[in-house]
């Protein structure tokens, strides 16, 4: 199951306000574009951090003599282009977004970890020297797995108390689980004070997801969450792990449309695509000695390569090879300010995912079609693993209000409502910085009040 599946944080809004409330209003106003907006952004993060700190104090008390309460955050991501290429060691172009998982954390003197999830209203407790899979609280396995991988690699972890909250919609293809893993790693690093460089952190979080949670994902989500840069997408070479920020056009907004479709099919279909790519490489190795992954095939070699593959694998290989090429061309187009060309590449990417890789669904196709008919939309495509979840749209800032007003109504006219698990949503996003400690002003830190624990609190 890729980490787009509906299993991490439910899209709770209690800590952050309703999805249609102030947050959305703000992003349509000043600071809504992908450029400056920094002032608003930091205020928003501080506000979330302050509220989470208060929730922490309510849960665990103000002063346990174990040092200060820190607040860390790790963003979700949206992939702009380069889909199903990361596990083929190819190229991707995601952006970290202004929806994140936030953790308030304080160290302990023993090796115990206590975690309370505000989204689930559940608490767990475990010892750092005995971390095992928790079938009753699946959300906690992202925290457990990350700490286990860090512990196994020799990181000098400390016990911690944590309160976790997130506003990355779950199961939407926006990497809520990578955000939880990365936020956990940042919290552990901040509390225990060990060194862990960004790429290494991302790889360890991916390992947690692969080996502990048991989800076969590539590296894109964790890299974007750790290394994202405000106003930029991240061009990642998934073979060398080199990352370069690519500036996004200031007068355009990233608008995410959640189709409302959540498919259980996703797990097995994702794993099947991974193994089809591996199988294609295995067959090609007989003819191309130094091929390691589909990344090694150039577009001009496709006719020859396709001839050597059974029909079922041809289309898969074709998608991966041409998608890698599209990512490189997208980076070039964005760097030269050719937004329309980038938009066309997004549209081509969607068609390829629909027709060659076969990971789209009628609802994602309908959402893309409806979006592209709205003036001011430069490009639209499905994003993430597919079979449901979201589309990503590049919309001119002057057209965002009209887009928000019309896109869902038109979408709902085209789809079968009985196939929707959730109400479709529109999120106007900004490209954000990657994970880190949220700096709180000293006066704000002191505002946490001692209030009685909420009813049902375990500790
Ligand atoms: C999921 C995985 C990513 C990537 C995408 C498809 O989101 O977690 O690693 O493979 O699917 O591009």
């Amino acid at each position: 199951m890729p980490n787009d599946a509906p299993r991490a944080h439910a899209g709770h809004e209690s800590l952050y306000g309703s999805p249609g409330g102030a947050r959305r209003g703000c992003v349509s106003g000043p600071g809504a574009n992908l450029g400056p907006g920094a002032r608003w952004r930091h205020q928003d993060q501080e506000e979330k951090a302050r509220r989470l700190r208060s929730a922490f104090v309510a849960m665990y008390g103000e002063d346990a003599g174990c040092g200060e309460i820190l607040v860390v955050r790790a963003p979700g991501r949206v992939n702009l282009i380069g889909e199903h290429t990361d596990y083929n060691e190819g190229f991707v172009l995601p952006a970290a977004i202004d929806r994140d998982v936030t953790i308030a954390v304080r160290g302990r003197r023993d090796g115990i970890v206590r975690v309370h999830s505000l989204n689930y209203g559940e608490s767990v407790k475990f010892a750092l020297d005995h971390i095992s899979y928790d079938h009753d609280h699946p959300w906690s396995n992202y925290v457990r797995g990350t700490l286990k991988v860090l512990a196994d690699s020799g990181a000098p972890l400390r016990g911690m108390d944590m309160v976790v909250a997130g506003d990355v919609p779950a199961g939407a293809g926006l990497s809520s689980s990578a955000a939880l893993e990365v936020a956990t790693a940042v919290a552990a690093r901040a509390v225990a004070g060990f060194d862990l460089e960004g790429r290494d952190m991302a790889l360890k979080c991916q390992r947690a997801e692969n080996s502990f949670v048991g989800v076969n994902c590539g590296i894109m989500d964790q890299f974007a969450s750790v290394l994202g840069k405000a106003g930029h997408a991240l061009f990642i070479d998934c073979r060398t792990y080199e990352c370069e920020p690519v500036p996004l056009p200031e007068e355009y907004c990233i608008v995410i449309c959640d189709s409302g479709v959540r498919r259980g099919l996703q797990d097995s279909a994702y794993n099947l695509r991974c193994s089809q790519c591996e199988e294609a490489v295995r067959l090609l190795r007989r003819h191309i000695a130094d091929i390691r992954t589909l990344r090694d095939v150039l577009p001009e070699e496709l006719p020859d390569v396709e001839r050597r593959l059974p029909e079922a694998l041809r289309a898969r290989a074709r998608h991966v090879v041409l998608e890698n090429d599209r990512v490189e061309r997208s980076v070039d187009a964005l760097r030269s300010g050719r937004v329309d060309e980038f938009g066309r590449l997004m549209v081509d990417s969607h068609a390829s995912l629909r027709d060659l890789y076969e990971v789209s669904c009628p609802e994602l196709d309908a959402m893309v079609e409806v979006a592209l008919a709205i003036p001011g939309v430069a490009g639209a495509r499905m994003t993430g693993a597919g079979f449901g979840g979201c589309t990503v749209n590049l919309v001119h800032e002057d057209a965002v209000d009209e887009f928000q007003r019309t896109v869902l109504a038109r979408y709902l006219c085209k789809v079968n409502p009985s196939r929707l698990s959730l109400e479709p949503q529109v999120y106007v996003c900004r490209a954000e910085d990657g994970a880190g400690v949220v700096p709180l002003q000293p006066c704000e830190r002191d505002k946490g009040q001692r209030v009685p624990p909420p009813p049902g609190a375990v500790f």
Side-chain angles (χ1 to χ4, degrees):
M1 176 166 65
N3 66 349
D4 294 326
R7 56 194 149 61
H9 275 201
H12 279 238
E13 303 294 341
S14 53
L15 190 73
Y16 301 135
S18 79
R23 285 173 53 74
R24 190 106 65 78
C26 281
V27 286
S28 296
N33 63 21
L34 306 168
R39 197 174 141 67
W40 179 83
R41 185 175 69 240
H42 288 131
Q43 282 171 353
D44 183 52
Q45 282 176 5
E46 256 187 49
E47 176 61 20
K48 284 187 196 176
R50 238 186 348 257
R51 291 197 212 173
L52 194 61
R53 191 187 182 284
S54 298
F56 182 99
V57 173
M59 177 64 61
Y60 300 117
E62 177 72 75
D63 183 17
C66 290
E68 67 176 326
I69 302 165
L70 299 171
V71 179
V72 303
R73 62 168 279 280
R77 65 98 189 96
V78 64
N79 191 18
L80 300 182
I81 197 161
E83 217 65 83
H84 290 276
T85 46
D86 61 350
Y87 53 83
N88 289 296
E89 297 188 324
F91 304 116
V92 291
L93 191 67
I97 57 173
D98 55 336
R99 287 183 162 256
D100 41 36
V101 168
T102 309
I103 300 182
V105 61
R106 182 173 59 204
R108 295 171 57 98
R109 289 206 193 81
D110 56 15
I112 298 297
V113 176
R114 298 191 294 179
V115 194
H116 179 77
S117 162
L118 288 180
N119 294 73
Y120 287 98
E122 289 175 357
S123 298
V124 298
K125 180 177 177 179
F126 57 91
L128 279 172
D129 59 4
H130 186 75
I131 301 178
S132 55
Y133 193 91
D134 183 344
H135 292 276
D136 298 329
H137 307 96
W139 59 268
S140 76
N141 290 317
Y142 301 96
V143 178
R144 291 166 189 268
T146 303
L147 295 178
K148 173 114 176 71
V149 168
L150 290 174
D152 289 350
S153 70
L157 298 181
R158 278 180 68 189
M160 297 179 275
D161 288 334
M162 305 160 99
V163 174
V164 183
D167 63 356
V168 187
L174 302 176
S175 299
S176 54
S177 31
L180 179 52
E181 291 149 12
V182 171
T184 301
V186 173
R189 180 178 67 180
V191 161
F194 53 85
D195 286 335
L196 183 62
E197 181 266 338
R199 270 162 239 231
D200 197 15
M201 176 184 287
L203 289 169
K204 290 203 161 66
C205 291
Q206 183 215 13
R207 196 182 314 150
E209 182 132 354
N210 292 169
S211 62
F212 190 89
V213 183
V215 173
N216 199 4
C217 65
I219 65 160
M220 166 168 69
D221 309 342
Q222 290 82 3
F223 265 66
S225 185
V226 174
L227 298 165
K229 185 169 171 207
H232 293 70
L234 206 59
F235 176 39
I236 309 173
D237 180 331
C238 300
R239 169 169 284 170
T240 63
Y241 303 144
E242 277 164 331
C243 301
E244 280 172 39
V246 178
L248 289 166
E250 290 202 358
E251 67 285 9
Y252 280 80
C253 295
I254 297 173
V255 184
I256 296 170
C257 296
D258 188 335
S259 66
V261 176
R262 299 288 186 273
R263 305 297 301 279
L265 231 190
Q266 215 179 27
D267 292 9
S268 53
Y270 184 89
N271 291 339
L272 178 63
R273 296 301 181 283
C274 296
S275 52
Q276 285 176 324
C277 292
E278 280 166 23
E279 174 64 2
V281 171
R282 199 183 61 76
L283 295 172
L284 290 173
R285 220 169 262 138
R286 296 183 194 154
H287 312 280
I288 312 172
D290 51 358
I291 185 172
R292 200 167 95 183
T293 60
L294 287 175
R295 145 75 176 267
D296 296 311
V297 179
L298 297 173
E300 55 271 29
E301 294 167 341
L302 264 177
D304 184 44
V305 158
E306 282 177 295
R307 219 165 29 85
R308 300 181 188 284
L309 291 175
E311 202 179 330
L313 301 184
R314 253 178 241 156
R316 307 292 190 243
R318 187 172 182 79
H319 164 76
V320 173
V321 172
L322 295 181
E323 184 78 349
N324 278 331
D325 187 54
R326 276 189 287 271
V327 178
E328 292 191 280
R329 283 161 52 205
S330 294
V331 170
D332 196 45
L334 284 172
R335 288 212 169 110
S336 323
R338 301 192 307 273
V339 180
D340 289 348
E341 184 182 333
F342 174 55
R344 282 193 295 275
L345 290 163
M346 291 174 77
V347 175
D348 291 349
S349 167
H350 183 80
S352 179
L353 290 158
R354 181 190 61 211
D355 302 335
L356 300 179
Y357 219 64
E358 297 180 281
V359 290
S360 188
C361 63
E363 293 76 16
L364 289 171
D365 297 342
M367 193 71 96
V368 166
E369 199 184 314
V370 159
L372 290 173
I374 299 174
V377 176
R381 57 181 286 279
M382 56 153 277
T383 186
F387 302 104
C390 293
T391 64
V392 57
N393 306 270
L394 199 62
V395 184
H396 194 277
E397 61 188 351
D398 297 340
V400 169
D401 287 348
E402 177 65 10
F403 185 93
Q404 280 187 280
R405 260 196 305 275
T406 51
V407 71
L408 294 185
R410 294 186 191 176
Y411 167 72
L412 287 168
C413 289
K414 278 180 149 289
V415 298
N416 174 356
S418 70
R419 279 177 44 93
L420 308 187
S421 320
L422 299 168
E423 216 180 295
Q425 300 281 342
V426 178
Y427 308 111
V428 183
C429 290
R430 283 181 320 278
E432 257 301 358
D433 280 332
V437 176
V438 182
L440 281 177
Q441 298 304 320
C443 55
E444 303 295 356
R445 263 194 234 137
D446 297 340
K447 277 190 188 163
Q449 292 158 14
R450 179 138 203 167
V451 283
V458 176
F459 304 112

